[in-house]
Amino acid sequence: MSQFCDIEEIKSILPHREPMLLIDDCTIEDDGSVTGHYRIKEDEFFTRGHFPGNPMVPGVIQCEIMAQTCSMLVRDYLRGHIAVYAGLENARFKNMVRPGDLCEIKAVLKNTRDMGTSRISFCSAVLRVDGKICCKADMNFALLPNGNEQLNPEE
């Protein structure tokens, strides 16, 4: 059965806090995918100067919205760990995202690989507004023990 997570449950899993918490709610689907939502507020720090009179959400923030939704795919491994980007591939930006828009994000876990004390998760995500694809990407995350945020400790 699908599991709905509200903002308080998300905060109990993700380390992000306002103004960088960019997921309002999500549903963990029966197939293991996650559908998340985030409403772009009129006064977001990232739209105030991007661009005055014509605000739009920067692509990097759209990717972060998708990344936080992807993090919910590996929620059981996040306790005691932090998820950091290990790769971002095939990012495509199709339509603008603006203040007031409700972003719907569909995230899928494609694979995981254990790497000693860390784990690499391979995900894909699509961000839509009103059914139109705005952004999509393949994202890789390293889940590292808290306090050891180095991707390659030997280097």
Side-chain angles (χ1 to χ4, degrees):
M1 170 157 282
S2 298
Q3 176 189 349
F4 179 78
C5 297
D6 64 13
I7 191 73
E8 292 308 315
E9 187 161 357
I10 291 167
K11 284 181 175 182
S12 76
I13 296 167
L14 297 184
H16 303 78
R17 293 297 179 263
E18 293 82 2
M20 280 304 295
L21 181 60
L22 302 173
I23 179 172
D24 294 327
D25 64 62
C26 71
T27 302
I28 297 141
E29 306 291 351
D30 294 335
D31 64 4
S33 66
V34 172
T35 301
H37 297 96
Y38 184 68
R39 171 83 59 189
I40 306 297
K41 297 169 202 63
E42 296 292 327
D43 63 346
E44 300 277 10
F45 75 92
F46 47 80
T47 59
R48 285 187 292 221
H50 192 267
F51 298 97
N54 188 23
M56 61 187 75
V57 177
V60 68
I61 298 294
Q62 293 177 54
C63 289
E64 181 63 21
I65 293 167
M66 293 189 307
Q68 289 182 28
T69 303
C70 286
S71 291
M72 295 301 292
L73 292 165
V74 295
R75 64 201 168 280
D76 295 337
Y77 300 101
L78 280 177
R79 301 213 194 288
H81 293 80
I82 187 167
V84 297
Y85 271 118
L88 178 64
E89 301 167 355
N90 304 316
R92 299 289 181 263
F93 303 94
K94 305 286 188 179
N95 289 290
M96 297 295 165
V97 179
R98 299 187 181 279
D101 285 346
L102 176 63
C103 300
E104 180 177 89
I105 306 89
K106 181 75 168 194
V108 177
L109 180 64
K110 299 186 327 187
N111 197 4
T112 59
R113 187 176 309 144
D114 286 324
M115 309 284 289
T117 61
S118 66
R119 167 180 284 217
I120 305 292
S121 297
F122 301 87
C123 306
S124 62
V126 178
L127 185 153
R128 289 182 170 85
V129 172
D130 294 329
K132 293 186 212 173
I133 294 175
C134 296
C135 181
K136 61 182 182 174
D138 296 318
M139 303 176 159
N140 308 329
F141 303 95
L143 277 70
L144 306 173
N146 278 340
N148 184 21
E149 285 80 23
Q150 262 184 285
L151 287 176
N152 297 307
E154 326 52 73
E155 294 182 7

